[in-house]
Amino acid sequence: MASEPVSVLFKLYCLTVMTLVAAAYTVALRYTRTVSSDLYFSTTAVFLTELIKLLLSLGMLLRESGEWGRCRSVVVSNIFRSPKELLKLSVPSVVYAVQNNMAFVALSNLDAALYQVTYQLKIPCTALCMVLMLSRSLSRLQWFSVFLLCGGVTLVQWTPPQATKVQVEQNPFLGFMAIAVAVLCSGFAGVYFEKVLKSSDTSLWVRNIQMYLSGIVVTLIGVFMTDGAQVLEKGFFYGYTPWVCLVVLLASAGGLYTSVVVKYTDNIMKGFSAAAAIVLSTVASVVLFGLQITVTFLGGALLVCVSIYLYGLPKQDTSRLQKPSAGEEDTQKLMAG
């Protein structure tokens, strides 16, 4: 697979920025969904995010190309004259759309706590997809750290089930089937995109443009299928405030940094970064929203930190630990004598 050499410092920079942006996005999103009186349509925000990511990718491609004429020729040859490549990059967009819908079905048919636990299976599922689709190998310690991360994220997000007087009719079997599909979609889509990025020398920004074009179509369909009547009645930008605009910009920047992280590291590192962002955003929520820190959160945060450390340890070089051959053993004895 084609890969571009980058420094460890650059990788750390991308992971750090992605983590901080994701944490800030979570806090800002929570603020806009709980404080604002005129609630905006989330589907329109998702659509605008895809549109801004497309425009930013075009800007980065222009910077990479050096001049407008060369940038235009790259866009024409890779977008308008390559329908197969567009179709190839539409796969993760559609799969992510299926994942989001299945997650909604699962949450509607499972308790919130059970949903949180089962949905974290997307982390080991992503690792398994990397092994199967990218022919990667993970050490036993790395597999252990993946499952440790899964448990840590579960504890960080854990909220004890609360009794309610309103009995909602749920279908647990349907919920588990939906969560299984969502987990598989999450692992497959992320690794599929990584494989496409690393299987050719095509510019990262060209790949982003190809994917975001499909994403714009999918999310625009989502706007009119979910909130079409209300959008036509109240307007596309109903409920938008400067804070909502900040959420859209943070989501757009986070999406770009995610693609850079996937390009130069892998999807598992993306998962570790997302877990660290969850911890940071929860800590920020304590200060901003008065959230109470629990023992389960502290335990989960500790597990997340330990898992990140363990996964980053270098693999043991077993070639130096092999038993020497008979001839080498005799030579060593002679030298010793």
Side-chain angles (χ1 to χ4, degrees), residues 88 135 190 199 223 238 269 305:
K88 184 190 297 185
S135 301
S199 61
V223 169
Y238 174 79
M269 287 307 299
C305 294

Side-chain angles (χ1 to χ4, degrees), residues 43 46 61 63 89 116 126 158 191 193 199 202 248 252-253 268 271 274 287 290-291 297 299-300 312 317 321-322 332:
T43 52
V46 173
L61 181 61
R63 180 185 176 187
L89 268 296
Q116 288 175 184
T126 299
W158 177 264
V191 176
F193 182 56
S199 61
T202 304
V248 173
S252 303
I268 297 181
V287 179
L291 187 69
F297 170 80
D317 187 1
L321 302 178
Q322 293 177 351
Q332 290 176 2

Side-chain angles (χ1 to χ4, degrees), residues 295-334:
V295 175
T296 54
F297 170 80
L298 293 175
L302 178 62
L303 289 182
V304 168
C305 294
V306 171
S307 65
I308 293 173
Y309 171 75
L310 292 179
Y311 186 82
L313 290 177
K315 291 183 179 179
Q316 187 179 22
D317 187 1
T318 56
S319 61
R320 297 182 180 181
L321 302 178
Q322 293 177 351
K323 187 177 180 181
S325 61
E328 291 176 345
E329 193 171 347
D330 292 339
T331 302
Q332 290 176 2
K333 287 181 179 179
L334 287 172

